[in-house]
Amino acid sequence: MLVPFIMASPNTGILSPAALKAGKIDPVGTCTGPFIITEVDGQQRLKLKRNDAYWGGKAKLAEAEVRFLPDANVRATQVRSGESHIGRTVPASALAQLKRGPGTSVVSIDTPRTTQMLINTKKAPLDNVKVRQALQAALDLKGIASSLYEGSVEPAIGPFAQHEPWAPKGVQPAKLDVARAKALLAEAGVKPGSLTLELFAYSEKIELKDLAAIIQEQLKAIGVTVKIRVAAYNALEPDMIAGKYDIALLSRSHLTDVADPLAFLTSDYTCKGGYNLSHYCNASFDESLTKAASEADPAKRHEVYAKAAKLLQEQAVNVFIIHERGNDAISSKVKGYALHPLYHYTLTTALSVE
């Protein structure tokens, strides 16, 4: 059922035999989309020219250059300075200035992506649901959304946002309740000041360092000490996969190629899931997803996903913090730009620059 969607995804790239040279991949001059790659400079930049033979119509742009800039603030700055026409995924802290201009604006869209605090559910005392619920109740999600993200996002109600068809109905973000959090820790046998956790935050996502500091301060209010480790994601992931961590911040998309979150729920939350960083295992949860995989009726599958999301929220398997929005900065000279919700396409045939 899902194979046609996967095959239609740009992530399922089919290389021309001409792109395979001496055992290496070299796509220069071999692409069949609206643009042809003319030059690749390592991880610095990519140059393209219009493909006049493109089956989908001639692109308005004659050529383009893509620069790979890992720092989101730099991407925003380059649009403001005129060095770039488009800056993808700019930080929330830059939005107000970009919207005021002059000569710049912001294109925004809801995305299937949530920032969450992963919890290693196999590591004591985090294997106790009351301890996890205490961490959840100690965080001021609304305050985080309005301050750190300057009101550009909504506090999370779980892995899925309210507008999505598979989100549970009537669910609200976890409420800040310090008294309840302290009581839950006491019920779990955790004495005040006895719990110290290490929090991972990866440097590629610029907001996470500040978010980690906020979480550190808010958990201090319930007697939990947090030590922060900031590093590149590839330096943190091995420990997360191996279960050698306490809590970690992660920006996670639940849709990739198909408008159905089954693959996400399976990989992230089933006992044998390939990306189950929470190390969560619940046989009945797995069984419900197995049945959903063979269900042809989308509405019935969505019911299963909603129940799964509600369970993850209620058991505080992770603390879901905010539902992200895609924010791209563009120059006023850019016309015909549309932000793809899965970030599949940026350079389209309709895009032009005055």
Side-chain angles (χ1 to χ4, degrees), residues 70 113 116 118 200-206 208 229-242 245 247-253 267-268 274-279:
R113 180 174 286 275
Q116 57 196 287
L118 296 173
F200 287 4
Y202 55 94
S203 53
E204 292 90 336
K205 188 77 171 175
I206 199 166
L208 297 189
R229 178 186 171 191
V230 179
Y233 179 79
N234 60 10
L236 300 174
E237 186 185 55
D239 283 346
M240 293 159 67
I241 292 174
Y245 82 102
I247 52 179
L249 294 175
L250 181 71
S251 168
R252 179 69 167 141
S253 174
S267 70
D268 286 33
Y275 198 64
N276 186 352
L277 301 180
S278 303
H279 302 276

Side-chain angles (χ1 to χ4, degrees), residues 83 90 100 134 170 183 266:
E83 294 178 73
V90 296
R100 289 195 301 266
T266 302

Side-chain angles (χ1 to χ4, degrees), residues 13 51 62 80 146 169 288-289 320:
N51 180 7
R80 287 199 301 267
S146 63
K169 306 303 180 186
S288 69
L289 293 182
F320 301 99

Side-chain angles (χ1 to χ4, degrees), residues 34-103:
F35 295 92
I36 298 171
I37 298 173
T38 59
E39 183 182 331
V40 178
D41 181 9
Q43 296 182 352
Q44 302 299 315
R45 68 187 68 214
L46 185 74
K47 292 186 176 181
L48 310 99
K49 69 175 183 180
R50 180 171 54 216
N51 180 7
D52 291 329
Y54 178 54
W55 61 269
K58 187 176 179 179
K60 293 182 178 180
L61 286 177
E63 58 185 10
E65 178 179 288
V66 177
R67 300 173 186 169
F68 304 117
L69 303 172
D71 190 319
N73 280 322
V74 173
R75 296 195 294 272
T77 299
Q78 287 210 350
V79 175
R80 287 199 301 267
S81 67
E83 294 178 73
S84 299
H85 292 102
I86 299 170
R88 288 181 51 175
T89 58
V90 296
S93 58
L95 297 181
Q97 189 173 2
L98 286 164
K99 290 177 180 178
R100 289 195 301 266

Side-chain angles (χ1 to χ4, degrees), residues 89-202:
T89 58
V90 296
S93 58
L95 297 181
Q97 189 173 2
L98 286 164
K99 290 177 180 178
R100 289 195 301 266
T104 58
S105 62
V106 176
V107 178
S108 300
I109 193 171
D110 290 323
T111 63
R113 180 174 286 275
T114 301
T115 294
Q116 57 196 287
M117 186 175 76
L118 296 173
I119 301 176
N120 185 352
T121 64
K122 281 206 168 181
K123 188 172 183 179
L126 301 172
D127 57 344
N128 187 321
V129 64
K130 291 184 178 180
V131 174
R132 300 196 303 269
Q133 289 172 337
L135 300 182
Q136 183 186 60
L139 297 186
D140 181 6
L141 304 186
K142 290 185 178 180
I144 290 170
S146 63
S147 60
L148 178 59
Y149 294 91
E150 300 187 3
S152 64
V153 298
E154 292 293 328
I157 62 167
F160 311 135
Q162 194 68 68
H163 66 270
E164 298 181 81
W166 38 76
K169 306 303 180 186
V171 176
Q172 299 296 318
K175 292 183 179 180
L176 171 64
D177 190 334
V178 173
R180 176 172 177 266
K182 289 180 177 180
L184 285 166
L185 288 179
E187 290 173 20
V190 178
K191 296 180 180 179
S194 66
L195 181 57
T196 297
L197 301 174
E198 184 177 37
L199 173 59
F200 287 4
Y202 55 94

